[in-house]
Amino acid sequence: MNQFSYPGKGCSPDQSLCPRSHVLPLLLLVIILSVIYANSFGGSWVFDDTQNIVQNSNLHLKTLDWESVQDTFHGRKDEGISRPLSYLSLGLNYYFHGLDTWGYHLVNFIIHCLTTLFVYLFIYKTLHLPILDNKYAERAGSIALLATVLWATSPMQVTAVTYIVQRMASMAAMFFIISMFFYLLGRTSPKLGRRVVWFALCALSGVLAVASKENAALLPVLLYLFDLLLIQGVSRANLKRHLLIGAVPLLFLVGMAFVFTEPFNILSGYANRDFTVVERLLTQPRILIFYLSLLIYPMPGRFALIHEVQISTSLFSPWTTLPAIAFWVAWIGLGIYLAKRRPLLSFCLLFFVITHLVESSFIPLELIYEHRNYLPSMALFLLLGVGVVAFIREFCQKRLLYVLTSLVLVVTIAGQGHTVINRNALFEHPLYLWADNAKLAPGLSRVHTNLGKTYAGLGLHEKAKEASEKAIEVDRYHRPDLEAVPYSNLGNYYLRKQEPEKALDLYKKALEIEPGFWRAWPGMTSALLRLGEVDQARKTAQALVNAWPEKKTYQALYGLVLLKQGTYEEAVQQAVKALEFGGEPGLAHKVLGEAFYQLGREDKALKYWQEYAQARPKDMEAWLAVVRLAHDLGRDQVFRRAAVQVLSLKGERTWEEVVADVERKDKTNELVLTDDPRDILPLVRLGVEREVKR
């Protein structure tokens, strides 16, 4: 029997790995998670989901050939490989589920469950290490279960689980802890063959972790620290012997930086931030303390997708900056000081800091996100589990105190679960999420901008206008280029209100702020068209499709400009390009229908107008076009049915009201039909009469 063996009836010699002994706690964990994350499956696309998944053609797998799979490895960029495993998993989701979010949430939930199970197993096995002098072996199951439940139900983990694109964080953490678990098995296995297998699985899991998100490159450092503190033990001789060995994981980390980033250009990212590298380094200690407070005091009103943080401009502004730095110096110092006396406590303290290093360092990332704690918080909950179980063992001899302590734990877990459920509900629609975030962080322009965009998508244009104006009034943006967004959104509002002059001024203001702000260009093109400046509109639309040739809507808009300019052959060519992207019939079909009509190719014109009308059966303009073309071509059956459809859409309105509604499209530049609707109405009456006579 080796020093790590724990015999048990019906199990392998290593009782600590006996599957039977872990069935109930693992089943309990899955049940708890299923209850509190059940409502996460109804979550919608929010925030960065749109750019990373919904609008990311690289991930829209339609076949599983190698070329298509390789495209997913590039994420949103065409240069280099970016988080290939995470993006591949999202691409596979698209292959099987399209843009139905249910399947994406299912995968995220499974990842969270698997991570939870390996956190439990890792803690359980770690607590049986000989260096801990069997202090925790008898209570390993209780500590592992309590620590894991508290970690897995913490509201801090919601954005890593329910926010679809942050699968990157949870997947990297999953493979990270799996790798550490396999390393632990390899180091404690008595047989060479098993050690080889476990270490091979450890290496594979480590590669998969880094392929999920770059911050997992810190894994070798943590494995080395774990081995030194909890397997070998710290001593003066040991430290001297490992000075050279310790350089290996550091060299690996530097190598990974060169592979996955451009280290010599990394600071250039600060050109697009509202803080400097020094300000970021000064602010992060305060943010890390805020993270700790969220873990300790996880009340519903304290969590948000985007947090409002005061930037530290010096050691004394705000005054909490220097104390925060001192706190973390003491934290790290305590971790080092306790390395020999209390190795488990030392490891947990250092684990939290080290796993935050990448996203809390000089790299010009945004300052704060809750999902960054998904991996680091594991160690803190291990400490909490050890502390609570020790307290119960030492001080809860009296039944009343034991019951009260147990009740506090149940209430805590239930409270965390309730908060998780409430936070999941916010992800059901972007409106809930951004309305809540605007209350929690009213001093950030970005949340008001996103709220305004959501209102506009729901057709609540007055509220969208108010939110955009609020964003401009607040005037605090995460990045300088984001200042252009609310101006462009206001331009969209006034364009809809049929005030193209005012809209054009707002679009120009957005482009003054950020010349490369492409989202202002479509609105500017439409505004120019409505003002009759067709030649200028053509230049804008041409620049738009040159910059974003993969956007179907921009290609179609350019086709509309060419149609309005009277260059029908070019309009056809441009609209055909738009059709190459597939999808439901849209503006490109209308442009083709009317361009072919002007070119005298009425058969083709009817084909495209019919396809559009069938896709949008309530569009009066389309059915009037079909009536006109079917009559001219002598397609009597199509003519009669289209006329009946027009009559059906008319309803109780007068024909004057119908014409006014169609012509209103012309004022908003949405009308493609070139003939006067009044000239088509007699044909509608004729078609209806023929249908009645049949």
Side-chain angles (χ1 to χ4, degrees), residues 44 143 282 289 342 449 627:
S44 60
I143 294 171
L282 290 173
I289 289 178
R342 297 290 182 87
T449 298
V627 166

Side-chain angles (χ1 to χ4, degrees), residues 88-101:
L88 174 60
S89 72
L90 293 167
L92 291 173
N93 261 133
Y94 183 88
Y95 179 79
F96 289 105
H97 308 108
L99 292 177
D100 182 353
T101 59

Side-chain angles (χ1 to χ4, degrees), residues 592-629:
L592 282 169
E594 209 58 20
F596 278 127
Y597 173 70
Q598 293 295 336
L599 292 169
R601 301 173 63 180
E602 293 182 329
D603 53 340
K604 278 190 167 293
L606 178 59
K607 170 183 178 294
Y608 286 108
W609 272 116
Q610 270 189 294
E611 288 178 0
Y612 181 86
Q614 288 165 3
R616 291 169 172 76
K618 294 184 179 181
D619 190 300
M620 180 66 80
E621 176 195 12
W623 288 109
L624 288 173
V626 172
V627 166
R628 175 197 62 188
L629 288 162

Side-chain angles (χ1 to χ4, degrees), residues 140-353:
S142 301
I143 294 171
L145 181 60
L146 178 60
T148 308
V149 168
L150 289 171
W151 173 82
T153 61
S154 172
M156 184 73 94
Q157 320 306 356
V158 168
T159 49
V161 181
T162 308
Y163 183 14
I164 294 173
V165 77
Q166 289 311 329
R167 172 185 303 180
M168 299 172 183
S170 60
M171 182 178 284
M174 177 184 72
F175 286 116
F176 195 103
I177 198 65
I178 289 175
S179 181
M180 292 198 73
F181 177 66
F182 285 145
Y183 182 84
L184 177 55
L185 293 183
R187 287 290 279 125
T188 57
S189 179
K191 297 181 179 179
L192 176 61
R194 289 188 178 183
R195 287 202 298 270
V196 170
V197 172
W198 294 134
F199 285 138
L201 290 173
C202 167
L204 175 61
S205 301
V207 170
L208 295 177
V210 175
S212 300
K213 194 174 181 181
E214 298 86 348
N215 61 339
L218 288 165
L219 176 62
V221 177
L222 268 301
L223 289 176
Y224 177 77
L225 185 68
F226 179 79
D227 195 288
L228 180 63
L229 293 178
L230 293 172
I231 295 180
Q232 299 178 52
V234 173
S235 66
R236 183 173 298 179
N238 221 0
L239 287 176
K240 288 182 178 178
R241 187 169 64 252
H242 285 276
L243 280 177
L244 182 59
I245 300 175
V248 174
L250 293 177
L251 290 173
F252 176 82
L253 192 58
V254 172
M256 295 299 289
F258 277 89
V259 171
F260 290 99
T261 65
E262 297 178 12
F264 299 114
N265 297 325
I266 199 165
L267 295 182
S268 62
Y270 281 98
N272 202 30
R273 295 294 181 196
D274 61 348
F275 50 83
T276 65
V277 60
V278 173
E279 288 172 339
R280 189 178 202 281
L281 291 172
L282 290 173
T283 306
Q284 282 303 312
R286 293 173 41 240
I287 290 174
L288 290 176
I289 289 178
F290 177 68
Y291 288 154
L292 281 180
S293 75
L294 288 178
L295 292 168
I296 296 168
Y297 187 59
M299 298 304 291
R302 305 191 67 222
F303 294 93
L305 188 59
I306 300 179
H307 287 274
E308 186 174 353
V309 177
Q310 183 180 357
I311 296 172
S312 293
T313 56
S314 73
L315 288 173
F316 308 102
S317 180
W319 70 267
T320 52
T321 303
L322 187 57
I325 294 172
F327 175 86
W328 290 110
V329 169
W331 179 289
I332 295 169
L334 181 62
I336 296 172
Y337 175 75
L338 295 174
K340 185 175 181 180
R341 296 176 179 84
R342 297 290 182 87
L344 182 62
L345 175 57
S346 172
F347 175 75
C348 291
L349 293 175
L350 296 176
F351 183 95
F352 183 79
V353 174

Side-chain angles (χ1 to χ4, degrees), residues 5 12 17 55 103 149 185 239 253 292 322 352 366 381 389 403 408 434 487 495 508 524 536 596 629 635 685:
S5 62
S12 63
L17 286 179
Q55 297 176 352
V149 168
L185 293 183
L239 287 176
L253 192 58
L292 281 180
L322 187 57
F352 183 79
E366 293 192 12
F381 282 102
V389 172
V403 171
V408 169
W434 293 120
Y487 287 100
L495 193 64
K508 288 180 178 178
M524 177 175 281
Q536 187 60 38
F596 278 127
L629 288 162
R635 307 277 183 85
R685 298 187 185 97

Side-chain angles (χ1 to χ4, degrees), residues 433-451:
L433 187 67
W434 293 120
D436 179 74
N437 211 150
K439 293 177 184 177
L440 296 171
L444 294 179
S445 296
R446 195 173 193 178
V447 296
H448 298 293
T449 298
N450 290 331
L451 180 59

